[in-house]
Amino acid sequence: MNPTFQNFDLATSLSAFIRRMTSVTVKFWTRSGDGWALLVDVFVLMPTLKYISSSVDDIRYTLDSNTVLFVLTDGVYVMFSDFPLQTDIFDNGFSRTPSASALNRLRSSASLAEDAAGGPLEKSSSYEAIMRLNTLDECIGDAERTRLAVQADMDEVLKRNRRVLQLVLGERQQEVALAYKRNALAVEGRRLKEAEQVRDDARLQIRRRREQLLAGRAALNAGRAEHARAQDEFADDRLELDSLAFELAKERRRVCTDLQKLYPIEPILDKTLAFSIRGVELPNTAYEGFDEDKLGTALGYTAHLVYLMAYYLGVKLRYPIYPSSLRSYVFDPISVLQGPRAFPLWPKGSVYYRFEYGVFLLNKDIEQLMNSQSLLVIDLRHTLPNLKCLLLALDAQQ
């Protein structure tokens, strides 16, 4: 019969002291009649077990009937009594079943090992692992012996041929040194050619730069001479320009003086800041109840006078004036407006707010003329007083 029993885990079911014991008692019970009877009672010393295979399927031996197999973590083991072809490793290699004395020695050795270790023996390595290590150690020893033998042979050969080897080595060293020097010479030759090419290019650039510098120096000298001549001409032209500007300003002031004679502005004695132009009174902004024909005539004279002064003084008015006696008007080209941009300077028959805006633009032109002569406007609404002040300032500059 080949019964198979259920596995049990020693690691969880038993304590560490029991798991590390080196001996175990195996008992097999069988049913006999109405009860159970003890069939096998054997004491097993674990170090005496024989390793036969890594697994049950790999066993290549013919086992007896009812052989007890111990399946451990590292392989399958049997007792010596269950495996006939064994070597008594305890009695110097004789092929027989271990004797009682050998078993006693194993028990004593296991007990002494446990006592020396202070407890049960620990599992170290399997038989298969130990055999692999043994084989590997033998291979390493053979390789070491072979290496030493080869080394000794090579040392002997080197001793016999030391002189020849030194000559060959010296020749090889000389060849390597010569090849290195030749390579270095070739590299230096290429670097020398590159340096010569750079030198030739630099010389060519220097020669071109020298030619450019000579040409530039000649042009600079010519430019300096031309600049000196132009400076002399500029100085003469500046003097002439200053003289012409002085004469022009003088002539402009003279013309403005003549304009003052053509359009005389005189104060009215019984009124404050009241002036008349060519004998026609022009009030300062307060036009209610004033004769509209006289007002249009005075504003026409004033517009014509401002137009002529702007022309002779060289001032371009922002709000151009178109004098036409009683029908003079001012044009506004810059403001944002709806409708016509021409504003009348006569009140009779015109929209009054457009007439007032036209007078305002006329006063702004007078302010522009005064600013051109560095004069300050105190009150923009005083048309004739501001104009009289401008004429007097021009007359005083003569």
Side-chain angles (χ1 to χ4, degrees), residues 58-318:
D58 296 336
I59 297 176
R60 297 187 300 273
Y61 300 102
T62 301
L63 302 177
D64 296 336
S65 299
N66 296 328
T67 300
V68 179
L69 300 179
F70 292 86
V71 182
L72 304 179
T73 57
D74 57 347
V76 181
Y77 292 82
V78 296
M79 292 186 299
F80 282 98
S81 59
D82 296 330
F83 197 67
L85 299 178
Q86 302 296 331
T87 300
D88 187 0
I89 60 175
F90 308 100
D91 286 340
N92 299 325
F94 293 100
S95 299
R96 57 184 178 83
T97 303
S99 62
S101 61
L103 293 177
N104 292 330
R105 287 199 303 272
L106 281 175
R107 291 189 181 95
S108 300
S109 299
S111 299
L112 291 175
E114 290 180 0
D115 294 339
L121 296 178
E122 297 285 347
K123 183 181 69 174
S124 59
S125 299
S126 64
Y127 177 80
E128 184 179 8
I130 293 175
M131 293 302 297
R132 286 199 300 267
L133 289 176
N134 187 28
T135 304
L136 179 61
D137 184 63
E138 292 178 357
C139 293
I140 293 174
D142 293 341
E144 183 67 20
R145 287 190 294 272
T146 303
R147 184 185 66 80
L148 293 176
V150 172
Q151 183 177 358
D153 294 341
M154 292 178 65
D155 292 340
E156 184 65 25
V157 172
L158 291 176
K159 288 180 181 179
R160 291 196 306 266
N161 301 281
R162 177 175 297 178
R163 180 62 180 172
V164 177
L165 291 175
Q166 289 179 350
L167 293 176
V168 173
L169 180 61
E171 181 182 2
R172 182 57 181 169
Q173 291 176 349
Q174 293 295 329
E175 290 178 355
V176 172
L178 180 59
Y180 176 77
K181 292 180 180 179
R182 286 177 178 175
N183 293 333
L185 181 62
V187 172
E188 292 299 327
R190 291 194 296 270
R191 293 177 60 184
L192 179 60
K193 290 182 179 180
E194 293 176 357
E196 290 177 350
Q197 183 65 32
V198 172
R199 181 200 61 189
D200 296 339
D201 295 340
R203 286 179 176 176
L204 180 60
Q205 290 183 355
I206 292 173
R207 183 167 61 252
R208 292 177 179 175
R209 292 287 298 274
R210 186 177 289 112
E211 293 175 355
Q212 293 176 359
L213 288 175
L214 293 176
R217 185 174 289 108
L220 178 62
N221 294 330
R224 286 177 177 175
E226 182 66 22
H227 180 264
R229 185 182 62 81
Q231 284 284 3
D232 296 337
E233 294 180 356
F234 178 75
D236 295 338
D237 294 340
R238 172 63 70 182
L239 292 176
E240 184 178 359
L241 180 62
D242 293 341
S243 177
L244 290 175
F246 179 75
E247 292 296 331
L248 179 60
K250 184 177 179 181
E251 187 65 22
R252 283 176 174 176
R253 290 192 294 269
R254 186 189 63 79
V255 171
C256 291
T257 302
D258 293 340
L259 290 177
Q260 186 177 5
K261 295 178 181 178
L262 292 175
Y263 291 99
I265 301 175
E266 301 295 339
I268 300 176
L269 299 179
D270 57 347
K271 295 182 180 180
T272 303
L273 292 178
F275 288 83
S276 63
I277 181 170
R278 290 183 63 87
V280 180
E281 181 183 358
L282 179 61
N284 297 323
T285 307
Y287 304 133
E288 292 82 0
F290 199 81
D291 189 357
E292 294 182 353
D293 292 333
K294 291 182 178 181
L295 184 58
T297 301
L299 289 174
Y301 292 157
T302 304
H304 193 207
L305 177 59
V306 172
Y307 173 81
L308 294 175
M309 291 182 67
Y311 176 78
Y312 289 112
L313 291 176
V315 178
K316 187 175 182 180
L317 298 175
R318 297 187 184 92

Side-chain angles (χ1 to χ4, degrees), residues 366-381:
I366 296 173
E367 180 186 22
Q368 183 180 356
L369 292 176
M370 294 182 68
N371 291 334
S372 67
Q373 303 301 317
S374 302
L375 298 176
L376 183 62
V377 177
I378 303 300
D379 192 345
L380 187 64
R381 297 173 297 176

Side-chain angles (χ1 to χ4, degrees), residues 34-58:
D34 296 334
W36 291 90
L38 180 62
L39 179 64
V40 176
D41 185 1
V42 60
F43 175 78
V44 180
L45 193 62
M46 302 301 291
T48 63
L49 295 178
K50 174 63 178 178
Y51 175 84
I52 61 174
S53 177
S54 60
S55 65
V56 177
D57 297 333
D58 296 336

